[in-house]
Every structure is written in C-alpha cells, then in structure tokens.
Amino acid sequence: MRVAVASDHGGYALKKELLASLSDLVVEFVDFGCDSEVAVDYPDYASVVARKVAIGEFDAGILLCGTGLGMAITANKVPGIRAVTVHDAFSAKATRAHNNSNILAMGGRVIGPGAADTIARIFLSTPFEGGRHQRRLDKVKDLEDHFADQLDTDVKPSC
Ligand code: RB5
C-alpha cells in the first residue's frame, strides 16, 4: 500500500509524530511537505495529494492541517476524491466501510498523536463493504459528473 501524506504548518508537528508512530506498518508513506512550521497555504498541499490519489499513483492520502477542515474541503474539489475529516475511531471505520473514503484529514490543533495514530491505523486497514454502499457512492459520482459537464459547457472563451 502506498500513502501520500502532506500537511500545512498547523499539521506539521502531528505529521512528524504520525509518520514515526506508523513506521511499523507495511505501508510506503511519501511526504509531500510542508517541511516546517513556517506558515503556508493548505490548498497547495491538499491539491498535490488529492491529484496523486485520484490518478491512482497512491492508494490513499493523509492530510494534516490545524483542523483537518481546509485540507478536506480542498481535496474534495478533485474528481474521484472522497476526503473526510475524522477525529474518532468509530467514524474512521465507518467512513472506510461505507464511504470508501480515500483521503483522511486530521487537525493537529484538535487531536493528539495517540488518537491520530489509532484513527490512521483503522482508516488504512478497514475495507470498503461495497453492496448498498456502492450504489450510494455511484449516486455521489453521478452528481460529480453532472456538475463537471455543467462546468465544461459553461466555460466561455475569454477573448
Ligand atoms: C492555518 O492557520 C489553518 O487555517 C489551517 O491549518 C487549517 O486549519 C485550515 O482549515
């Protein structure tokens, strides 16, 4: 399993602790920044991880910012991404089993490294259940496709 990881400054410390604590997993983590607690813009990092997961270069993504919210909002703009902000174990399991979520976002100002480790382990090991949940995700995809088409036809040349 290959997992793309990134943070902004608000999630940087949590990212470092999480990557260290998850090092026993048989998972390849690739860190796409940022590399310090100097302030950066979370969309720059969320978009990289989301694109890489969407094209299949990575099986899943983990995004860390102050709240986990801006990262998820940004990642969900990329077609095929189902990013969720999760800060509890029940939701981590449910969102994999029911939503087939492919990016986990967490907030370094919300939870500590112990809880983040537990949540990430659950997220990365829980399989999607399929069945009726796939039917629902097909409807989510229909919505995504519908608005993608709308946007395409709405684009007007600027000159
Ligand atoms: C940065 O101050 C903060 O806004 C960011 O880390 C994140 O929480 C955004 O959703």
Side-chain angles (χ1 to χ4, degrees):
M1 186 179 206
R2 302 187 78 223
V3 177
V5 182
S7 73
D8 73 355
H9 52 292
Y12 176 74
L14 182 60
K15 178 177 71 178
K16 288 294 163 195
E17 297 208 60
L18 191 59
L19 289 177
S21 74
L22 294 177
S23 61
D24 62 301
L25 295 182
V26 187
V27 170
E28 182 189 352
F29 294 100
V30 178
D31 183 358
F32 290 95
C34 66
D35 300 318
S36 78
E37 291 187 333
V38 173
V40 293
D41 297 336
Y42 61 81
D44 297 340
Y45 296 88
S47 60
V48 171
V49 166
R51 284 164 196 259
K52 289 192 175 288
V53 172
I55 64 174
E57 200 177 312
F58 288 82
D59 302 301
I62 296 179
L63 290 168
L64 305 161
C65 62
T67 59
L69 300 174
M71 287 293 201
I73 289 169
T74 309
N76 280 318
K77 300 299 181 191
V78 176
I81 291 302
R82 293 173 300 279
V84 287
T85 304
V86 170
H87 292 129
D88 68 277
F90 176 83
S91 299
K93 186 166 186 175
T95 196
R96 281 291 311 129
H98 293 191
N99 312 128
N100 200 15
S101 302
N102 48 16
I103 293 185
L104 168 65
M106 294 185 285
R109 297 171 186 158
V110 181
I111 54 168
D117 177 275
T118 299
I119 289 163
R121 284 173 191 271
I122 292 169
F123 188 89
L124 296 174
S125 64
T126 302
F128 176 50
E129 286 178 8
R132 68 188 187 283
H133 302 297
Q134 184 58 58
R135 183 182 72 240
R136 292 158 186 166
L137 288 181
D138 289 344
K139 294 184 178 185
V140 174
K141 176 80 165 54
D142 286 347
L143 191 65
E144 184 177 85
D145 291 346
H146 172 79
F147 281 102
D149 292 347
Q150 284 287 127
L151 290 173
D152 284 348
T153 56
D154 283 346
V155 170
K156 303 276 189 307
S158 58
C159 58

